[in-house]
Amino acid sequence: MILTRRTLLLGATATLAGCDRIARQPLARDILFSADNFHQWAQRTIMARDALAQEFRPEQISPLFRANGTANPNTPAYKALWRSGFADWRLRVDGLVARPLSLSLSQLHALPHREQITRHDCVEGWSAIGKWRGVPLKLLLDGAGLRDRARYIVFHCADDMGGGTAYYESIDLIDAFHPQTILAFALNDRPLSVANGAPLRLRVERQLGYKQAKYLMRIEAVESLLSIGRGKGGFWEDRANYDWYAGI
Ligand SMILES: Nc1nc2c(c(=O)[nH]1)N[C@H]1C(S)=C(S)[C@@H](COP(=O)(O)O)O[C@H]1N2
Ligand SMILES: [Mo]
């Protein structure tokens, strides 16, 4: 394939934005055709909303799944959890839910799993194929009972990125309920290593690496992202202008 899906869509953005009269009005263009909005719209319109990310064969698994960003949260709280083999760790599910949850790792292990061999693409220019096992996010959201007002799911992590700010990310409900969106506790048939996000990380397979939040502590259902961090829905979105919707 000569054109990647992303190149094709970005090309389509330019063509449409250039042709459409409305698109010449700056405000309308910003709202309708910002690369972010258009890319999101195009991916979801051209492809089925529940289209699966490509899955690979076991022989294609990368020998090493490198670590990026935080490789060890190293905070006193995280170290204490690690020392107990994460026996004292709990995942909170709260916010706009009818029944807030607090789940131990063994409770998560007891839930139905999904396994998927997928490719992780980091914006810094590397990829790795890994086999993930985890609990579909949908199961937890159904268990907690999302309230009608909930529109986004926010992931709060354990690592301190400086000044006491933990890494955070968010996705919308289409991705939250996607069948390949899982909370993974195993990589390549082994418990998740600290470097790769122990004890639990998000896999949202149709988006780029920075959306794959590691060291999960809390999942929060919200109506708007404006009250999260600086309002753009993720640590790098807020600081480096990364797209909130990082579809691949
Ligand atoms: N909590 C947390 N999650 C994170 C990051 C991080 O620094 N902290 N880095 C992100 C980035 S940019 C990438 S590419 C992937 C890397 O996952 P890996 O370390 O398992 O390769 O994690 C993402 N999730
Ligand atoms: Mo990344």
Side-chain angles (χ1 to χ4, degrees):
M1 209 162 84
I2 295 166
L3 283 177
T4 66
R5 205 184 281 163
R6 195 171 172 89
T7 317
L8 196 66
L9 294 178
L10 290 174
T13 312
T15 310
L16 261 189
C19 293
D20 195 312
R21 280 243 300 299
I22 300 168
R24 276 185 225 125
Q25 296 162 18
L27 181 65
R29 189 182 54 220
D30 284 348
I31 295 166
L32 292 171
F33 294 114
S34 80
D36 211 11
N37 287 343
F38 181 81
H39 181 217
Q40 179 176 0
W41 172 84
Q43 190 187 55
R44 288 180 179 164
T45 309
I46 295 168
M47 290 170 265
R49 288 160 66 95
D50 55 357
L52 296 180
Q54 184 179 359
E55 295 196 11
F56 296 80
R57 297 188 305 279
E59 319 83 82
Q60 295 175 292
I61 292 174
S62 306
L64 174 75
F65 201 105
R66 65 171 270 190
N68 203 46
T70 304
N72 188 335
N74 252 322
T75 64
Y78 183 84
K79 277 193 256 184
L81 293 172
W82 175 80
R83 258 185 253 114
S84 77
F86 297 106
D88 300 328
W89 171 91
R90 293 289 180 279
L91 177 73
R92 281 188 291 151
V93 183
D94 60 13
L96 294 173
V97 299
R99 296 170 293 277
L101 306 175
S102 171
L103 298 164
S104 68
L105 207 47
S106 47
Q107 284 174 313
L108 288 168
H109 287 157
L111 292 171
H113 303 162
R114 189 181 201 283
E115 259 185 15
Q116 56 205 33
I117 302 177
T118 53
R119 194 185 62 221
H120 174 109
D121 295 310
C122 172
V123 281
E124 290 169 36
W126 60 275
S127 300
I129 294 176
K131 174 181 176 183
W132 301 99
R133 182 163 70 244
V135 179
L137 178 57
K138 177 184 191 309
L139 285 184
L140 301 191
L141 298 180
D142 286 346
L146 279 189
R147 295 198 185 279
D148 289 346
R149 280 189 295 127
R151 289 189 56 209
Y152 302 95
I153 305 299
V154 181
F155 302 87
H156 299 279
C157 307
D159 46 338
D160 181 353
M161 302 296 287
T165 304
Y167 196 88
Y168 52 96
E169 258 303 342
S170 61
I171 59 177
D172 66 13
L173 296 186
I174 296 174
D175 274 328
F177 286 95
H178 186 279
Q180 285 169 320
T181 298
I182 63 172
L183 303 179
F185 48 71
L187 170 59
N188 299 337
D189 296 319
R190 285 187 297 274
L192 203 53
S193 67
V194 168
N196 295 118
L200 193 74
R201 70 145 349 135
L202 173 67
R203 293 302 310 172
V204 49
E205 301 292 359
R206 295 196 310 166
Q207 296 206 50
L208 288 168
Y210 59 88
K211 302 297 289 188
Q212 322 294 328
K214 305 195 279 188
Y215 317 114
L216 294 180
M217 297 300 293
R218 175 178 174 220
I219 295 177
E220 182 190 9
V222 298
E223 182 172 10
S224 155
L225 296 175
L226 290 176
S227 58
I228 304 301
R230 300 178 189 168
K232 291 187 184 162
F235 183 82
W236 291 118
E237 289 89 328
D238 277 337
R239 282 160 192 80
N241 229 20
Y242 283 20
D243 286 347
W244 173 76
Y245 190 76
I248 40 177

